Amino acid sequence: MKIFSVAANYPEHNIEPGMALYDNVEPVLLTMPDSALLKDGKPFFVPDWCASVDLGASLAVRICRLGKSIPERFAHRYYDAVTVGVAFTARDVLTRLRSAALPWSVATGFDGSVAIGQWVDKALLRDVQQLSFSLEVGGSVVQQGYAGHMARGVDALIAYISRFYTLKTGDLLLTGAPAEPSPAHIDDHLVGYVEGRKVLEFNCK
């Protein structure tokens, strides 16, 4: 199983020169190992090897069939469910790695860094690019997005990714956070929603 995450896929999360949307270049694609996956409401443990951790909520889709070099017009056939995913980033480590022009994987793909909610069959929802989603921390909304605001929609992302990677059943795609990351702290209680439906709930420890 592979986990893909797209950085800077919303205008509000892409305001710096050098980022993908700003320069109108290819998507910033991150890959995570399967050990990064956190599911079934298990807690996220804040790492003791970094000074600060951020989080970003994404609309996540589940790949449901094998595909390679998928045309964008057929990409909707390759995912069957959506949910909210939360990607955690070791912010100080990421800053150091970026400044040294080194890969980001240690800061973005460490064990348990991607929390995923319960899947909702996409047939039960309206078109994926019309979906809204949100994340609450301690009862306050910290991330809120509308898929129609993505710079590159789900189908376009799947077509792009499948140029380089063979997609397989069970692979996951996090389509990007709608705003700048929010800080994560021990004892935070996180709840995620798709179209007002609670799909994700867990704690930070």
Side-chain angles (χ1 to χ4, degrees):
M1 187 199 77
K2 301 181 290 297
I3 304 171
F4 301 98
S5 181
V6 183
N9 198 29
Y10 286 81
E12 289 185 25
H13 193 189
N14 197 343
I15 57 177
E16 302 175 49
M19 294 302 282
L21 289 180
Y22 193 100
D23 292 334
N24 195 27
V25 295
E26 295 183 352
V28 178
L29 183 65
L30 308 176
T31 59
M32 291 88 159
D34 56 7
S35 61
L37 188 62
L38 188 67
K39 57 183 180 178
D40 300 328
K42 293 179 180 177
F44 169 74
F45 289 93
V46 177
D48 59 6
W49 43 262
C50 64
S52 61
V53 177
D54 287 347
L55 60 87
S58 294
L59 188 69
V61 300
R62 182 178 66 191
I63 303 301
C64 63
R65 61 191 295 187
L66 185 72
K68 174 70 175 176
S69 299
I70 302 165
E72 184 174 343
R73 67 184 182 277
F74 297 135
H76 65 278
R77 301 177 181 176
Y78 288 81
Y79 56 96
D80 64 351
V82 302
T83 192
V84 170
V86 176
F88 292 92
T89 300
R91 178 57 49 187
D92 57 315
V93 177
L94 177 62
T95 300
R96 174 171 53 82
L97 292 172
R98 287 181 63 180
S99 65
L102 294 173
W104 301 358
S105 55
V106 171
T108 59
F110 56 90
D111 287 355
S113 60
V114 179
I116 204 78
Q118 297 174 336
W119 294 104
V120 180
D121 189 324
K122 71 173 187 178
L124 301 176
L125 300 167
R126 52 184 172 171
D127 180 84
V128 67
Q129 293 304 148
Q130 297 179 17
L131 298 179
S132 61
F133 63 97
S134 63
L135 180 72
E136 295 180 356
V137 176
S140 298
V141 176
V142 298
Q143 299 259 309
Q144 190 165 21
Y146 171 64
H149 294 158
M150 292 180 188
R152 296 170 182 86
V154 175
D155 292 354
L157 291 172
I158 287 177
Y160 175 80
I161 293 168
S162 69
R163 291 170 55 193
F164 311 101
Y165 300 92
T166 297
L167 296 178
K168 296 183 178 182
T169 300
D171 288 349
L172 309 180
L173 169 60
L174 277 66
T175 56
E180 285 297 300
S182 303
H185 305 98
I186 293 173
D187 295 329
D188 280 348
H189 180 68
L190 288 76
V191 182
Y193 300 87
V194 173
E195 291 289 293
R197 181 192 306 226
K198 185 167 72 173
V199 294
L200 176 67
E201 186 171 13
F202 67 103
N203 297 310
C204 293
K205 293 187 176 181

